Amino acid sequence: MCATPPAAGRWLVRVLAPRREREAIEGDLHERYARKARELGSRRADAWFLGQAIRSAAPLCLASASEVSAGRWVVGVVAGALITSLLPALITSVAPLETLGRPQDLVLEYLALSLPVAFAGGFSSSRLSRAFTPVTVSCLVALLYAPALVAMIGDPTVAGSDWGCLGLTVFAGCAGGMLAARRSTRTGEPVPG
Amino acid sequence: MSRARLTRFEFLVLAAILRIGDDAYGVAIAEEIRQRTGRDVAVGSLYRTLKRLEKKGCVSSTTGEPTPERGGRAKTFYRVEAAGREALRESVAEVRSLVDGLDLRWEAV
């Protein structure tokens, strides 16, 4: 019988591992997993594999980030910033400016929301695979906009222009993701899966 | 040449590679550390440390042939270089100079 490591763990390691060490890391985990599966059974081996993947996430992330050149970081952060550039428009369309308080609160809110996206955009577009980049960007955009979307659906006063603004934002997110994906493709990075 | 200073984990990894010899790759290094120290090493921490040691010039790596037990993936073998041996020697000397003459029996009390 040939046991297979859990897909979630494999995916996490594949996505986060530095390109140069990826094959060795995946091979080591596969070899140790097969040994654990023989000795302890596949369920405990699965748990061990997932534990390894989770414990390895932070060090692998740091190792990957350290091999990215400054230029690619800049490209990624700019892409992330562009994706979130429509955030103030959406915030003001959901909650009118006068209800948000001082303008600087709006700026702070924008920065708090956009900086993690810019960082994630920088990380993903600078080193991750083309399959992962649009997924990261789309998930982050969806996560950030979910509360606003719920508020809009439940609000009968939302105008057509607000929905247009939301559509435009989603389009910008997707376009940013695809541009980043094209860039990753040009670098010849392999696609997982 | 400026000498490389080692963290505790780098020290363990270098010593494990030296003990294993020519067949030092990820699984063997992790197993050696587990057997001798009881630490279950996360593969991510191990490779991050190996990468750092390689950058410092303490170890060098070569890629082996893909094997079926690794799902067709190749091993990466590591070797301790002269700078690594020197860093290890200095770390051991530092520890020795600190503990020599100390009465450590109080730990058992």
Side-chain angles (χ1 to χ4, degrees):
Chain A
M1 188 194 77
C2 185
T4 312
R10 277 185 289 144
W11 177 82
L12 192 63
V13 170
R14 181 173 289 196
V15 157
L16 295 178
R19 270 195 301 275
R20 242 192 85 208
E21 283 84 12
R22 191 176 294 161
E23 187 177 352
I25 291 170
E26 287 180 333
D28 279 9
L29 278 172
H30 195 281
E31 188 180 332
R32 288 174 78 185
Y33 172 83
R35 204 177 294 170
K36 296 264 178 203
R38 276 196 304 274
E39 291 167 2
L40 310 168
S42 61
R43 286 183 74 169
R44 286 181 70 183
D46 282 356
W48 172 85
F49 193 96
L50 281 172
Q52 277 283 330
I54 292 165
R55 283 173 61 202
S56 297
L60 289 180
C61 211
L62 289 169
S64 296
S66 71
E67 71 178 18
V68 175
S69 70
R72 296 194 74 188
W73 268 106
V74 169
V75 169
V77 171
V78 169
L82 284 174
I83 290 164
T84 54
S85 62
L86 289 172
L87 262 174
L90 187 75
I91 291 169
T92 50
S93 71
V94 176
L97 196 56
E98 57 269 23
T99 66
L100 287 169
R102 298 168 305 164
Q104 53 264 46
D105 291 340
L106 183 65
V107 172
L108 283 176
E109 192 173 347
Y110 169 62
L111 284 177
L113 287 171
S114 61
L115 285 179
V117 179
F119 181 82
F123 184 78
S124 59
S125 73
S126 57
R127 72 155 302 277
L128 298 177
S129 68
R130 64 176 170 173
F132 186 68
T133 304
V135 176
T136 325
V137 174
S138 307
C139 287
L140 281 163
V141 169
L143 200 71
L144 288 172
Y145 285 84
L149 192 61
V150 169
M152 284 172 78
I153 290 168
D155 187 354
T157 62
V158 172
S161 59
D162 297 329
W163 287 108
C165 181
L166 180 69
L168 202 60
T169 309
V170 172
F171 173 77
C174 293
M178 294 314 291
L179 280 174
R182 280 189 62 188
R183 187 180 158 77
S184 293
T185 312
R186 279 203 297 274
T187 63
E189 193 169 332
V191 185
Chain B
M1 188 183 75
S2 65
R3 73 191 173 103
R5 295 201 71 90
L6 301 177
T7 65
R8 182 171 149 75
F9 193 53
E10 286 172 351
F11 179 88
L12 293 178
V13 170
L14 273 182
I17 296 172
L18 275 179
R19 279 196 165 275
I20 297 163
D22 290 340
D23 199 30
Y25 71 106
V27 175
I29 298 167
E31 192 57 27
E32 185 72 21
I33 293 173
R34 194 189 62 77
Q35 277 177 7
R36 295 196 177 266
T37 67
R39 284 173 70 158
D40 182 25
V41 177
V43 70
S45 307
L46 178 62
Y47 274 91
R48 186 169 175 236
T49 303
L50 286 166
K51 198 178 168 80
R52 219 167 37 220
L53 286 170
E54 210 168 3
K55 234 177 215 173
K56 288 179 182 178
C58 293
V59 298
S60 60
S61 64
T62 48
T63 306
E65 293 298 314
T67 55
E69 72 267 20
R70 296 169 60 82
R73 298 176 186 94
K75 290 176 184 174
T76 299
F77 293 100
Y78 291 90
R79 219 184 82 158
V80 178
E81 294 297 328
R85 283 175 189 272
E86 184 58 29
L88 201 58
R89 199 176 296 124
E90 285 183 11
S91 294
V92 170
E94 280 172 5
V95 173
R96 274 212 186 115
S97 76
L98 278 168
V99 298
D100 269 0
L102 282 181
D103 181 4
L104 298 174
R105 278 174 302 175
W106 59 269
E107 280 185 338
V109 178

